[in-house]
Amino acid sequence: VARAMNRRFYRLSLGGVRDEAEIRGHRRTYVGSMPGRIIQGIKMAASNNPVFMLDEVDKLGSDVRGDPSSALLEVLDPEQNNSFRDHYLDVPFDLSQVLFLTTANYLDPIPPALKDRMEVLELHGYSEEEKVEIAKRHLIPKQIEENGLPAGQLKFSDSSITTIIADYTREAGLRNLEREIGSICRKVARAITEGQKEPVGMNPELVGSYLGAPKFLAELLERRLRPGIAVGLAWTPHGGDILFVEASLMSGKKGLLLTGQLGDVMKESAQAALTYLRSNAETFGVEADFYEKSDIHIHVPAGAIPKDGPSAGVTILSALTSALTGRALRSKLAMTGEITLRGAVLPVGGIKEKVLAARRAGVNEIFLPERNRKDVEEIEAELVAGLTFSYVEQASDVLNGVLDSAQDEPIPSKPAR
């Protein structure tokens, strides 16, 4: 950004900053006093209109020495920062010409007043195709040079890079990918020092011998789903993933057991799905009193990973209906969406990451809320090639589309009670 605007650049890391004086400076009456980091940055940039990056703004802390995030309110407000007063200088200083950029991994820790002074730009993680290209153009040449490998001694095929991405990394960025590539380069360099002279052509079979057993095993949809199992889509900080939801019935009376380290919002989604199904049991071909004589257990593997959010609502409803009717869901199909007590399917976030996860897992068709259609249209065409999208507004439309239609009549699409 600074190069494009022909401006100076300065970076200030805010991780772990807890003292307000780091921003506003110390008063000159204190021993060892100095200007704040903002004025120091302006001095080091030698310009009054640099691009000033405040890195890791979500890692700011606060203690008895003050709250740095509150001190940043004036710095980042274009209506006030034309007369910013540093305690050390004690004269107004115009920051209105400075272009401030802040970075953060998570929005939640940022105070609302500070967030209100920013324009939020969400950067999606890299797709698998983008990671492969970045690795070929930048990461691999960099690691080969850093590890002192002769030219032509090590070559990576596209399939080997894809194997490293899928089996040894799980991230939105590239740090672990570069780390694994560096590990391979170091082992090749060691082999050269031990007398190996033949060039190494890295392929998927060789990756395992250099990096060991895969660290991550992808969930693949290569089997026909049994009744009571539905496939959902989840967003994680590392990207998207598919989510299996299992529902089972047992002899009992009005029991609902939820397992899999579910958060409060996800538990409430399960309860809403059960209430909607009970109030429309006859419409869906389910016995009206099924809950009077059954206990229901809903489980979301993997049980060791915490899960939360409302986007599994339609997936839980589909798994419940499948278990109660004995109708399996169609294979290679996934879904996401929030459900209400009246059966409306509401939009959810993280659509691009979820779609890429579905494509990676072998999904052919995805059910999404109608109001998420615009999010799919923004995804590059090559990333959604071969996928079929069905957009729904009502839960009955979901169940008509996902249940195996060969086993029963379609569910009437009528408003819920």
Side-chain angles (χ1 to χ4, degrees):
V1 172
R3 283 195 298 267
M5 300 179 69
N6 195 25
R7 292 194 189 186
R8 300 290 183 88
F9 175 74
Y10 182 78
R11 172 184 171 272
L12 170 60
S13 178
L14 296 176
V17 173
R18 295 177 174 272
D19 191 352
E20 180 187 352
E22 293 279 342
I23 306 299
R24 288 191 176 276
H26 304 80
R27 299 192 185 278
R28 280 177 287 180
T29 54
Y30 292 100
V31 175
S33 61
M34 62 181 68
R37 303 282 289 277
I38 301 296
I39 296 299
Q40 291 183 45
I42 296 293
K43 178 184 176 183
M44 295 184 68
S47 169
N48 68 344
N49 67 340
V51 174
F52 202 118
M53 188 174 83
L54 302 174
D55 202 12
E56 306 291 0
V57 72
D58 56 331
K59 308 299 190 301
L60 277 173
S62 62
D63 58 16
V64 294
R65 294 169 291 181
D67 183 2
S69 62
S70 298
L72 281 175
L73 295 179
E74 182 184 2
V75 173
L76 298 180
D77 193 335
E79 302 298 326
Q80 301 178 32
N81 63 6
N82 57 0
S83 58
F84 173 73
R85 188 178 290 267
D86 185 273
H87 287 162
Y88 184 85
L89 296 182
D90 201 26
V91 293
F93 189 89
D94 187 3
L95 294 176
S96 61
Q97 301 303 312
V98 179
L99 176 60
F100 286 101
L101 300 177
T102 66
T103 67
N105 298 104
Y106 304 99
L107 278 177
D108 294 341
I110 303 175
L114 186 59
K115 193 189 308 181
D116 186 53
R117 284 160 170 78
M118 305 176 186
E119 179 181 353
V120 179
L121 304 176
E122 294 191 11
L123 303 180
H124 296 287
Y126 296 114
S127 67
E128 187 173 288
E129 291 80 1
E130 290 169 338
K131 289 182 178 181
V132 170
E133 284 301 317
I134 293 172
K136 289 164 59 178
R137 298 184 190 184
H138 303 286
L139 304 185
I140 292 175
K142 175 184 174 183
Q143 289 299 322
I144 287 178
E145 180 181 356
E146 287 188 356
N147 289 280
L149 293 177
Q153 186 67 34
L154 174 61
K155 292 184 178 180
F156 286 82
S157 65
D158 287 3
S159 56
S160 66
I161 302 173
T162 302
T163 300
I164 298 173
I165 294 170
D167 296 347
Y168 296 90
T169 68
R170 182 161 292 179
E171 57 182 348
L174 298 160
R175 283 196 181 98
N176 288 326
L177 175 58
E178 184 174 6
R179 190 175 293 125
E180 299 296 343
I181 291 173
S183 178
I184 292 176
C185 291
R186 286 191 296 274
K187 291 180 179 179
V188 172
R190 176 185 172 181
I192 293 175
T193 61
E194 293 175 349
Q196 177 179 321
K197 296 182 179 180
E198 297 80 10
V200 177
M202 192 57 56
N203 55 50
E205 292 72 25
L206 272 179
V207 168
S209 63
Y210 280 89
L211 296 180
K215 298 177 182 177
F216 303 100
L217 298 176
E219 291 278 9
L220 299 177
L221 301 178
E222 296 176 348
R223 54 187 172 84
R224 179 182 173 84
L225 297 179
R226 297 169 54 189
I229 302 177
V231 180
L233 299 173
W235 178 91
T236 72
H238 309 297
D241 205 352
I242 64 172
L243 200 69
F244 286 90
V245 176
E246 302 176 350
S248 293
L249 273 69
M250 306 165 286
S251 297
K253 189 174 182 181
K254 295 184 178 181
L256 177 61
L257 179 61
L258 304 171
T259 57
Q261 281 209 55
L262 309 186
D264 291 339
V265 177
M266 199 164 181
K267 291 179 180 178
E268 291 167 359
S269 295
Q271 294 165 348
L274 178 59
T275 299
Y276 173 75
L277 187 57
R278 290 179 62 192
S279 62
N280 296 272
E282 296 179 0
T283 304
F284 299 146
V286 178
E287 296 181 15
D289 60 344
F290 74 89
Y291 199 46
E292 298 290 336
K293 53 187 179 182
S294 300
D295 285 345
I296 297 175
H297 185 175
I298 297 175
H299 179 64
V300 185
I305 301 174
K307 311 166 193 72
D308 203 4
S311 61
V314 296
T315 313
I316 295 173
L317 174 65
S318 300
L320 276 172
T321 308
S322 173
L324 288 165
T325 60
R327 297 166 59 187
L329 274 68
R330 293 193 287 110
S331 61
K332 301 205 173 184
L333 179 149
M335 67 199 81
T336 186
E338 180 180 355
I339 190 173
T340 70
L341 290 180
R342 296 294 179 267
V345 180
L346 303 182
V348 294
I351 295 299
K352 181 178 180 180
E353 289 80 3
K354 293 177 179 179
V355 169
L356 294 180
R359 179 169 171 259
R360 188 168 57 245
V363 170
N364 293 334
E365 185 176 2
I366 302 175
F367 275 71
L368 296 173
E370 173 64 36
R371 287 163 60 185
N372 281 125
R373 184 190 293 265
K374 64 182 187 304
D375 299 300
V376 176
E377 293 172 351
E378 294 177 356
I379 303 175
E380 295 85 344
E382 59 270 17
L383 299 181
V384 296
L387 292 176
T388 302
F389 294 92
S390 299
Y391 302 98
V392 294
E393 295 181 336
Q394 290 291 323
S396 55
D397 299 330
V398 177
L399 297 179
N400 271 330
V402 301
L403 292 174
D404 195 337
S405 59
Q407 300 182 35
D408 208 343
E409 294 297 323
I411 295 168
S413 180
K414 67 178 184 179
R417 292 198 302 269

